[in-house]
Amino acid sequence: MTIMIRWLWCGMSLAMGLCALWVTAAAASSEVKHAQAAYESKQYQEALESLERLPAEAAGSPDILRLKTRTLLKLGRPKDALKEYDQLERRLGRDDTALLRDVAFIFVTSLLHDMREQMRGAAYTALKELDSPDAIPYFEDGLTDGSGLVRALAAEGLAKSERGRRSARFKKALDDEAVLVKEAVLKGMGKAGDASAIPLIEPGLKHPEVRVRVAAAEALCRLGRSDGCDLLTKSGTALNPDERSAAIRAMVDLRRPQVFEVLIEASKHKQPSVRGAAAAGFGTIGKPEAISTLSRLLTDPIPPVRISAAVSLGHARSKEAVPLLRTAMEDRDASVKAFVVAALLELGEPYGAVSSTVLHLSNAQEPAVRAAIARGLGHATAKNDEAAREALMVLVQDTVPRVRIAALKSLKNVGRAQAIPWLKQGLHDEDDAVRATAGGALAHVLRDFPRPSR
């Protein structure tokens, strides 16, 4: 009799337990449906509250983790979204690349309205390097920022793409008071190839600021106006160093027939800024004679001029540049050495030829030098990708944010898919600007993966 009672009690207990489980599962299912409906209705806070009421076993499923991550993204909470995404990745044992790109992107966009100008600048810089149509609405919005420097970054971002250059808001930014914004818009309008913009560009020729006048001349020259081309040629030999340097850069971009002679003359100018502009210009001129002039500029008394010469020798794609750059590895200025390393890597020289210099500069006391070598490593060609990536993995852990920023930017160039774990780690950085840079770099790497789901 006692045994029978125990069996009956156990049966009742089991039934009650199963009933409780059924009730719990039903309640969880109801919360999930409510959360999904709230999300689809754009009631994101309500959706989040429903998801947070779920029991742990239900909340840890991949579908729920995805929904919660997306909900937190919509609520503008990138750090919390990243925590949920990290759980999803651990659960799946792999990345959900579509969702990861959304997470990375919000670490950029969440800073676009930050109170600190520096952080907004870092965010718009990251957007520029993302090089995606997704960024265009944000750039358009940035044209109304209270900082002229930030508005200039937004204008430069729009000027990079055909769609951005044809934006009505981009053209209207020509009325902006900031010189850098006007310059960026004028250059972009010239690249757009729209002759109907000529009446808007012409007043720039009489602007009091030389950079605006040169940009207007460049734009008109691109659009086939001989007066714009003539003004550029005249400005290329102007006494004003700023005017001359700006004109030289424009003539190089336009591949003007007389640009080589202008560069030769400018390479001997007494003003370092003019010599530097000439040194930078030679890198895109495919003439053997450019190497001998760059060889001379590589020993210029001013470090920035030597840096420009080294960069151009890297761009020149000439084996004649290699022995010159190897000699320049002994330069007395550490920053110059960093750019010499970049040039040698760009020319495809074996990593072993620069490894000891990379190690030395990576441990330099000055953060500017460590940042310079971090940027330089981003110029490595395919055969040196792995070695450059290993060196960058040290620099992304540097104590100074600017160094970590430079390393993350380079990782996106030499790391590609192999850099994803390090770029993801950058999203956890304590510095907002570093997180924004990591987000932009990660979104850039993931842009060829499946598109983000919305």
Side-chain angles (χ1 to χ4, degrees):
M1 188 69 172
T2 304
I3 295 174
M4 185 175 294
I5 292 171
R6 287 178 177 174
W7 273 106
L8 288 171
W9 175 251
C10 289
M12 290 175 63
S13 299
L14 180 59
M16 289 170 65
L18 290 173
C19 183
L21 288 173
W22 181 84
V23 171
T24 301
S29 177
S30 177
E31 289 288 6
V32 170
K33 289 179 181 178
H34 184 268
Q36 290 174 332
Y39 180 87
E40 291 168 5
S41 301
K42 300 183 180 181
Q43 302 298 315
Y44 302 121
Q45 185 59 42
E46 185 177 338
L48 180 61
E49 290 170 1
S50 286
L51 292 170
E52 289 182 338
R53 286 194 291 267
L54 291 173
E57 58 272 17
S61 74
D63 287 343
I64 298 304
L65 288 169
R66 286 190 183 94
L67 180 58
K68 192 172 182 181
T69 301
R70 293 192 185 102
T71 301
L72 288 164
L73 291 176
K74 294 295 186 181
L75 288 170
R77 294 167 55 178
K79 293 181 184 178
D80 292 331
L82 180 60
K83 289 179 183 177
E84 298 300 322
Y85 176 81
D86 286 342
Q87 290 189 54
L88 173 65
E89 181 195 349
R90 287 193 293 270
R91 190 69 183 267
L92 295 175
R94 58 177 174 80
D95 277 311
D96 180 330
T97 54
L99 185 56
L100 178 57
R101 189 177 187 276
D102 277 343
V103 172
F105 193 66
I106 199 174
F107 274 93
V108 180
T109 58
S110 62
L111 282 183
L112 295 178
H113 297 287
D114 193 275
M115 292 179 61
R116 298 162 293 178
E117 180 188 49
Q118 180 185 2
M119 295 305 156
R120 300 198 306 278
Y124 278 105
T125 299
L127 272 183
K128 280 175 57 181
E129 296 190 357
L130 176 58
D131 194 20
S132 166
D134 294 345
I136 289 177
Y138 297 100
F139 286 134
E140 290 179 325
D141 186 51
L143 294 174
T144 62
D145 192 275
S147 164
L149 289 173
V150 173
R151 296 198 304 276
L153 287 171
E156 290 168 3
L158 287 169
K160 287 181 68 175
S161 69
E162 182 178 352
R163 180 179 160 191
R165 291 191 291 265
R166 295 189 179 278
S167 163
R169 294 179 68 179
F170 176 68
K171 292 179 181 178
K172 187 168 178 56
L174 191 57
D175 297 329
D176 197 292
E177 295 179 358
V179 169
L180 291 176
V181 177
K182 284 183 177 291
E183 181 182 30
V185 175
L186 285 166
K187 287 176 174 288
M189 291 172 77
K191 291 177 181 178
D194 183 4
S196 68
I198 288 177
L200 299 174
I201 298 170
E202 286 178 320
L205 296 175
K206 299 179 181 179
H207 196 275
E209 290 287 344
V210 64
R211 293 183 65 160
V212 176
R213 295 199 300 272
V214 172
E218 178 185 350
L220 290 173
C221 187
R222 284 187 186 279
L223 294 171
R225 285 281 294 268
S226 60
D227 54 342
C229 298
D230 293 342
L231 181 57
L232 273 185
T233 302
K234 181 180 178 181
S235 295
T237 56
L239 295 177
N240 183 323
D242 290 338
E243 180 179 1
R244 190 166 186 168
S245 298
I248 287 172
R249 288 190 291 270
M251 293 174 73
V252 169
D253 286 345
L254 290 166
R255 302 291 197 275
R256 296 293 297 158
Q258 62 274 58
V259 67
F260 187 73
E261 289 72 22
V262 171
L263 290 175
I264 291 291
E265 184 180 350
S267 72
K268 303 170 185 175
H269 199 275
K270 63 180 181 180
Q271 282 289 339
S273 61
V274 176
R275 298 199 303 276
F282 279 117
T284 59
I285 303 298
K287 289 194 175 185
E289 302 95 310
I291 300 297
S292 60
T293 304
L294 286 171
S295 174
R296 170 169 56 81
L297 292 171
L298 202 56
T299 61
D300 193 275
I302 306 299
V305 178
R306 302 202 297 276
I307 286 173
S308 292
V311 171
S312 283
L313 284 169
H315 294 340
R317 297 289 191 272
S318 171
K319 285 299 180 183
E320 293 179 43
V322 173
L324 300 174
L325 290 165
R326 284 180 176 167
T327 300
M329 288 273 282
E330 304 302 321
D331 196 284
R332 61 188 179 277
D333 187 280
S335 293
V336 175
K337 287 183 180 180
F339 284 91
V340 170
V341 167
L344 285 167
L345 289 174
E346 189 170 355
L347 288 169
E349 286 299 289
Y351 188 81
V354 299
S355 59
S356 60
T357 303
V358 171
L359 181 60
H360 174 70
L361 297 178
S362 296
N363 290 290
Q365 185 175 356
E366 304 85 354
V369 174
R370 302 199 301 274
I373 193 61
R375 288 192 295 271
L377 288 164
H379 290 264
T381 54
K383 67 179 183 181
N384 290 320
D385 269 3
E386 184 176 356
R389 191 163 56 248
E390 289 177 0
L392 286 166
M393 287 174 184
V394 175
L395 291 163
V396 293
Q397 301 174 73
D398 196 273
T399 57
V400 178
R402 67 185 290 194
V403 181
R404 300 199 296 275
I405 286 172
L408 287 166
K409 288 181 179 180
S410 287
L411 265 178
K412 89 173 188 304
N413 296 329
V414 303
R416 306 303 299 167
Q418 292 83 355
I420 289 176
W422 289 94
L423 297 176
K424 282 194 300 185
Q425 187 58 39
L427 297 179
H428 291 275
D429 198 276
E430 61 186 17
D431 185 90
D432 286 335
V434 176
R435 289 197 296 269
T437 302
L442 186 54
H444 177 91
V445 170
L446 294 171
R447 65 182 179 176
D448 295 329
F449 286 72
R451 297 292 298 167
S453 49
R454 299 294 181 188

